[in-house]
Amino acid sequence: MAIQVLPEQLASQIAAGEVVERPASVVKELIENALDAGARTVHVEVRGGGSELVQVADDGAGIPAEDVSIAFQRHATSKLHSAEDLEAISTLGFRGEALAAIAAVSRLTVVTRAVGAAAGTRLVLEGGREASRDLVGAPQGTVIAVENLFYNVPARRKFLKSTTTEKRLIDEFVTRYALAYPGARFRLSHDGRVTFQSQGSGDLADVLVGVYGAEIAGELLALESASGRGSTVSVSGYVGPPGLHWANRNQITIFVNGRWIRDNRLTYAIVQAYHTLLPTGRYPVAVVFVRLPYEQVDVNVHPAKTEVRFRDADAVFGAVQRAVRESLISGGAPRPVSLSQSQIGGDWRLPGGWDRNERPQFSRHETDAQGSFTLDWRPPPEGGAQYGGDRPEPALMGGEKLPIMRVVGQVGASYIITEGPDGIFLIDQHAAHERILYEQFMAARAAQRIASQGLVASATVQLPPDQATLLQDRLGLLEELGFQVEPFGPNTFVVRAIPALLSRLDPAKALAAVVEDLENEKEPLADKLEARIILRVCKSAAVKAGQALSLAEMEAMIAQLEACQNPQTCPHGRPTLIHLSASQLARQFGRA
Ligand code: ADP
Ligand code: MG
């Protein structure tokens, strides 16, 4: 076949494909344009999941009449003038492709009136070709209506998912931009029904309530801005407490200089910061804003502008991880999201299409279902019942330290009851002990002082060949963790020492527990494996449920738990305790 330059129309359609993949991409591009135009109000109307209609109306600067047609040409933009501008992009758009791309694959109507213009312009394009143009009366701002998306690209139309999926993707973009621009008022409607709106109060906390519902929003921890230390990267936003987790990463939302992006590394940085605070395979909720000088980030990586490259990716990674970690450890900055009674009853939505029936798993709700207690981890309202000196009220969120407690007794040989400055605590002795041992072990490891217990009579262990091979490969790692194991004939090992923590266990059993973890995964990363072994060691060494403890033993354990950095969860992320505040007790007994 002879080489030929594609006809303009076809070239546009091909180019459009990269920018406009689906209705949600149209929503995204139009919202970005509205925000770039300084809009304070953005109304998004969708019909039929976006394939019938996507309309975005804004009160921004509008397009001057003489520029309206130009705006729909490929590579036409008012945001970029020189190659230098490309080095430091401060607007969401800059490629001048979106309007042309959207117009090429739809029937598009724009009505716009620029600041100071006497009248508005209405332009209709069909498949990118101007069909009509006239003067109209219109408020300042721009309305763009996109109908019959992909009507002329049947291949693309076929690839659209169900209306529900398309709707969900649209919801995600609208809520993301509402979070990133709390000063703008967003409203989204599907088929005439308003499904989301934000108030434009400028307070992110208000948007969080709208997006996540009051219940979750009330639990989020504010990230301390981690700028400083000579770093030009600042991090802000909110993360969930460890007790709040999902089966996938969808609730992790990252913005760089006000732009929503996908970034596996930064997502990983956030998840990593929760290390051991979440059960394996569960992911936190996070809304993280990274700000850095425009010239340190390249946003011109892909036409969809959802990927970026950082000049110093490690610095950004580190800043994000530190900020999340610090706020988890300190329990977050003073909690911003105040819950008014009316909000608590409010509707419940999440980006990612969660509804009431698939609500995320809270550790405390699980407990709810089992017992008859109504648990409330939030601090009681101002002026609520409180006793015990001048300590600040313990607001028990993941990562927060415990108050000094007095042991009352043990129940069912499994739970310890204590009294604190604000009510009583029910503590799971096994989970609590695991947490204590874990932190002690990690501290010892950091100081390279893991205690090892030499065995008076060394034990011989014989393993199946595959396990023996695994063990053989990992002897060095085990040694670092306090085991001393030597090969002794085929598939046989001598255990000469074990971690002091495990000294109460039979040496062969102690080793077997660890070998089991070696087996689980064929070639795990060394540090991942090490972490897993440490967890296993702590689990094996911790007191079990059903084990009676003396008062002195319980007091020692509680004192150690108070000293923990993250006393609220066991290293697997399950809660170690349940708190019943004085005011809750008063309420339950009808005294308040
Ligand atoms: P880009 O946003 O990359 O510049 P677009 O194709 O999305 O490219 O838009 C082209 C131009 O049209 C923009 O640069 C801007 O000048 C103008 N424009 C688009 N949408 C709006 C809007 N909602 N309000 C004002 N101007 C707009
Ligand atoms: Mg644009």
Side-chain angles (χ1 to χ4, degrees):
M1 208 155 68
I3 298 178
Q4 48 181 319
V5 175
L6 293 175
E8 177 58 25
Q9 181 85 5
L10 185 52
S12 311
Q13 280 188 10
I14 292 173
E18 291 190 58
V19 184
V20 189
E21 197 193 341
R22 53 182 357 124
S25 346
V26 174
V27 171
K28 169 181 178 289
E29 293 297 337
L30 297 181
I31 291 180
E32 288 188 354
N33 281 346
L35 292 168
D36 279 346
R40 310 285 301 174
T41 308
V42 181
H43 287 175
V44 183
E45 252 184 80
V46 177
R47 290 192 183 275
S51 7
E52 278 170 44
L53 171 77
V54 169
Q55 176 178 304
V56 175
D58 70 57
D59 60 355
I63 310 177
E66 63 273 23
D67 292 344
V68 180
S69 297
I70 305 172
F72 290 88
Q73 288 173 20
R74 277 167 75 191
H75 314 298
T77 178
S78 56
K79 302 170 192 173
L80 196 66
H81 299 287
S82 65
E84 272 152 50
D85 293 349
L86 203 51
E87 302 280 305
I89 290 162
S90 59
T91 45
L92 294 168
F94 58 91
R95 297 174 59 105
E97 287 178 329
L99 290 188
I102 297 167
V105 293
S106 68
R107 179 193 145 90
L108 185 150
T109 308
V110 55
V111 176
T112 183
R113 184 164 71 87
V115 200
T121 307
R122 179 171 58 200
L123 184 69
V124 180
L125 296 104
E126 310 228 8
R129 270 192 273 262
E130 270 190 43
S132 76
R133 179 186 174 119
D134 42 356
L135 280 181
V136 290
Q140 187 202 309
T142 305
V143 183
I144 294 185
V146 178
E147 293 165 283
N148 301 338
L149 187 65
F150 300 132
Y151 78 97
N152 52 356
V153 200
R156 202 30 93 79
R157 225 185 149 88
K158 271 205 299 250
F159 276 97
L160 293 186
K161 299 265 166 53
S162 68
T163 312
T164 325
T165 308
E166 299 298 337
K167 274 186 182 169
R168 179 171 58 77
L169 295 169
I170 291 171
D171 292 354
E172 284 178 7
F173 273 115
V174 176
T175 51
R176 280 169 193 154
Y177 277 103
L179 287 166
Y181 294 82
R185 282 208 331 253
F186 284 85
R187 192 179 73 195
L188 168 66
S189 71
H190 282 288
D191 304 308
R193 225 190 95 231
V194 175
T195 57
F196 171 79
Q197 48 190 333
S198 68
Q199 301 149 33
S201 68
D203 188 350
L204 175 59
D206 289 338
V207 190
L208 287 168
V209 172
V211 174
Y212 288 97
E215 197 168 350
I216 290 185
E219 303 202 28
L220 300 181
L221 311 170
L223 289 179
E224 338 259 352
S225 181
S227 195
R229 299 182 218 184
S231 158
T232 49
V233 183
S234 89
V235 179
S236 61
Y238 288 85
V239 293
L244 195 57
H245 40 75
W246 278 262
N248 57 45
R249 297 172 183 78
N250 287 353
Q251 306 309 326
I252 300 176
T253 314
I254 304 170
F255 301 90
V256 172
N257 290 341
R259 178 193 305 280
W260 173 76
I261 57 147
R262 297 172 201 278
D263 190 308
N264 288 340
R265 250 197 108 203
L266 288 186
T267 304
Y268 180 70
I270 294 166
V271 175
Q272 263 284 298
Y274 279 81
H275 186 57
T276 77
L277 295 175
L278 293 175
T280 18
R282 305 290 301 181
Y283 300 91
V285 49
V287 178
V288 175
F289 299 92
V290 178
R291 289 222 156 256
L292 73 174
Y294 295 119
E295 64 275 11
Q296 288 183 20
V297 47
D298 182 5
V299 294
N300 190 19
V301 177
H302 184 268
K305 301 167 288 176
T306 53
E307 282 162 49
V308 297
R309 273 195 219 107
F310 297 106
R311 192 171 287 175
D312 186 353
D314 292 343
V316 179
F317 184 95
V320 167
Q321 195 172 47
R322 258 196 317 276
V324 177
R325 190 77 201 169
E326 277 166 18
S327 100
L328 288 175
I329 287 173
S330 69
R335 291 232 307 293
V337 181
S338 57
L339 301 173
S340 68
Q341 211 48 46
S342 63
Q343 283 173 326
I344 290 175
D347 201 22
W348 216 99
R349 346 184 22 266
L350 286 178
W354 286 99
D355 60 31
R356 284 169 193 279
N357 302 329
E358 18 171 13
R359 40 192 316 160
Q361 180 187 355
F362 293 91
S363 34
R364 75 160 198 274
H365 287 293
E366 276 168 23
T367 329
D368 253 345
Q370 289 161 15
S372 52
F373 295 123
T374 310
L375 296 174
D376 183 357
W377 291 67
R378 282 187 289 270
E382 302 285 315
Q386 189 183 3
Y387 61 101
D390 51 7
R391 289 181 77 94
E393 197 145 38
L396 289 176
M397 300 295 294
E400 215 158 287
K401 294 268 225 161
L402 294 182
I404 309 280
M405 298 186 285
R406 177 178 75 83
V407 173
V408 177
Q410 191 185 25
V411 195
S414 299
Y415 304 102
I416 300 170
I417 297 182
T418 66
E419 179 191 17
D422 176 40
I424 60 174
F425 295 82
L426 202 51
I427 295 162
D428 180 323
Q429 65 190 37
H430 174 68
H433 199 207
E434 255 185 290
R435 165 54 67 183
I436 294 165
L437 295 177
Y438 178 74
E439 293 203 2
Q440 289 176 349
F441 200 93
M442 294 308 274
R445 193 185 66 130
Q448 310 207 308
R449 277 193 290 108
I450 291 179
S452 186
Q453 169 94 52
L455 301 177
V456 186
S458 52
T460 327
V461 183
Q462 195 179 4
L463 297 171
D466 51 335
Q467 286 193 12
T469 317
L470 286 167
L471 180 57
Q472 179 77 46
D473 289 347
R474 300 294 185 180
L475 289 180
L477 174 60
L478 289 192
E479 193 163 330
E480 281 171 34
L481 298 178
F483 284 93
Q484 202 189 322
V485 180
E486 289 161 18
F488 185 77
N491 305 331
T492 310
F493 297 84
V494 198
V495 188
R496 300 202 187 280
I498 58 176
L501 270 185
L502 298 179
S503 57
R504 285 176 310 116
L505 296 190
D506 169 63
K509 281 214 182 93
L511 185 65
V514 168
V515 172
E516 203 175 296
D517 272 327
L518 293 177
E519 207 188 12
N520 274 337
E521 212 172 315
K522 283 303 168 224
E523 289 200 276
L525 299 167
D527 54 347
K528 205 168 148 197
L529 183 60
E530 181 177 351
R532 189 135 28 91
I533 292 175
I534 293 170
L535 287 179
R536 172 66 58 151
V537 166
C538 295
K539 190 176 182 59
S540 316
V543 300
K544 302 282 172 293
Q547 194 170 326
L549 298 175
S550 70
L551 184 62
E553 284 172 324
M554 289 189 280
E555 281 171 345
M557 188 187 290
I558 296 306
Q560 288 172 342
L561 188 63
E562 285 162 11
C564 281
Q565 286 294 320
N566 293 295
Q568 310 277 340
T569 56
C570 80
H572 303 91
R574 287 188 296 274
T576 52
L577 52 80
I578 291 169
H579 177 215
L580 284 167
S581 70
S583 60
Q584 278 173 286
L585 290 171
R587 231 182 299 137
Q588 296 280 322
F589 287 110
R591 291 160 147 271

